[in-house]
Amino acid sequence: LEATQLAPFDSLAREATGWVPDSAAGDQPLAGRGRGDLVLAGSLPALEVQATAALDSVRWLGYRSKSLTGQFSWNRAAASMLAT
């Protein structure tokens, strides 16, 4: 998945974090670019999920970042989860 504009994900980010804009700073939607990869492997009883995401030139709610990355891994059979 690749997004050249993150504004459509603004409401999802607000709902997931519960953050609201500072009324003094004004309400500016999520801006920047992003890329995500999702891999599903195995059968349902032994499902394995791996996801990575990278955001570039992000601006949101008065915060700015040049680069953000994250990883998520879940294995149902081993009942383990890792998020960074």
Side-chain angles (χ1 to χ4, degrees), residues 4-19:
T4 57
Q5 185 50 256
L6 297 177
F9 298 99
D10 183 71
S11 60
L12 176 64
R14 289 181 192 212
E15 186 66 30
T17 63
W19 294 358

Side-chain angles (χ1 to χ4, degrees), residues 18-80:
W19 294 358
V20 295
D22 182 356
S23 59
D27 189 9
Q28 297 179 355
L30 182 62
R33 294 183 308 263
R35 176 179 169 80
D37 295 306
L38 177 67
V39 176
L40 302 173
S43 61
L44 195 54
L47 184 63
E48 186 174 333
V49 178
Q50 294 180 349
T52 59
L55 303 176
D56 182 40
S57 303
V58 177
R59 292 187 322 273
W60 188 50
L61 299 178
Y63 297 100
R64 292 174 183 247
S65 178
K66 190 177 271 193
S67 176
L68 293 172
T69 60
Q71 296 179 341
F72 176 83
S73 180
W74 180 70
N75 186 318
R76 183 174 180 172
S80 65

